[in-house]
Amino acid sequence: MTTRVMVVDDQAVVRAGFAAIVDAEPDLTVVAEAGDGASAVELAAAETPDLVLMDIRMPGMDGLTATRLITAQERPPRVLVLTTFDLDAYVYEALRAGASGFLLKDALPEDLLSAIRVVATGEGILAPTVTRRLIDTFAQGAPQPPSVTGALSSLTPREREVLLHIASGLTNAEIGAALGVTTGTVKTHVNALLSKLGLRDRVQATILAYESGLVRPRGTV
């Protein structure tokens, strides 16, 4: 199946570059391009892409607002945030708004394509070290979400254990090795806990684990 991608960036040259990289792949195709958040929201509803490459800092409606509106649509695509800075408060807020991950704009073409494919399959993508730096920097000052105590208490002990490993940035294979179970079993636990918590992917699970206090940022008691 071909993954339908929309590219959003206020710089035409950058936008064209990303589009060219994506369109050169047989399993990927660019169905729309937008230069600002407002246009991205309209095009996402009209073209129903599978995935949106979203720039954060744009004039007018920024990528944060656009991400929140796009992920709230009836048939929401997954959003992969593109940013110049890996420690950017907007990135953390975009993840809370529903983005499935983020990538630096200076990433190699093969890394960009790999990220698109990973996110399109339903996984989130954040390098473990970047996950920890984002959480350490912003989670302590983030507004607390509505109570999730009931949802967390619905998890089985093993699902809770898997959630802790997800929040540490481990892959399914790494979690399986740590728990002594197969990758397929880990996937079953991941799907179950995401369903119980009402989350789209493991990136949102990581955010929830920190914001709920289940996992604490480094340097806190």
Side-chain angles (χ1 to χ4, degrees):
M1 294 180 63
T2 300
T3 299
R4 305 170 74 254
V5 179
M6 179 169 75
V7 181
V8 184
D9 196 293
D10 64 318
Q11 298 183 44
V13 173
V14 174
R15 190 168 68 244
F18 284 133
I21 292 171
V22 172
D23 257 340
E25 298 299 301
D27 61 327
L28 306 174
T29 184
V30 175
V31 296
E33 297 181 35
D36 59 77
S39 298
V41 173
E42 292 181 5
L43 283 171
E47 301 295 337
T48 61
D50 300 308
L51 181 142
V52 177
L53 286 179
M54 178 71 74
D55 185 23
I56 285 293
R57 299 188 176 189
M58 297 181 290
M61 182 187 293
D62 63 16
L64 173 60
T65 302
T67 294
R68 183 176 293 110
L69 293 174
I70 288 174
T71 56
Q73 291 178 355
E74 184 176 352
R75 296 177 58 190
R78 294 190 176 273
V79 177
L80 178 59
V81 172
L82 299 173
T83 181
T84 304
F85 307 100
D86 61 355
L87 280 179
D88 188 330
Y90 285 108
V91 173
Y92 182 76
E93 291 302 321
L95 295 176
R96 295 185 70 243
S100 293
F102 85 94
L103 197 68
L104 296 182
K105 283 189 174 182
D106 61 359
L108 296 173
E110 53 265 35
D111 291 334
L112 171 65
L113 295 171
S114 175
I116 290 173
R117 293 182 175 112
V118 167
V119 172
T121 60
E123 296 287 341
I125 185 162
L126 285 178
T129 56
V130 175
T131 300
R132 287 192 289 270
R133 293 213 309 276
L134 278 170
I135 296 296
D136 289 346
T137 302
F138 301 114
Q140 296 182 63
Q144 290 299 307
S147 175
V148 294
T149 303
L152 286 175
S153 65
S154 72
L155 300 181
T156 66
R158 180 46 62 92
E159 288 167 355
R160 198 178 183 91
E161 194 173 9
V162 170
L163 177 57
L164 291 173
H165 283 305
I166 289 174
S168 297
L170 299 187
T171 65
N172 285 348
E174 290 168 337
I175 295 174
L179 299 180
V181 299
T182 66
T183 300
T185 298
V186 174
K187 288 182 179 179
T188 298
H189 290 312
V190 172
N191 290 335
L193 71 88
L194 291 179
S195 178
K196 289 181 179 179
L197 297 176
L199 304 175
R200 293 184 61 187
D201 53 47
R202 61 201 304 126
V203 172
Q204 290 189 334
T206 298
I207 297 299
L208 182 143
Y210 278 90
E211 290 190 338
S212 67
L214 184 63
V215 178
R216 294 187 180 278
R218 290 176 299 178
T220 63
V221 180

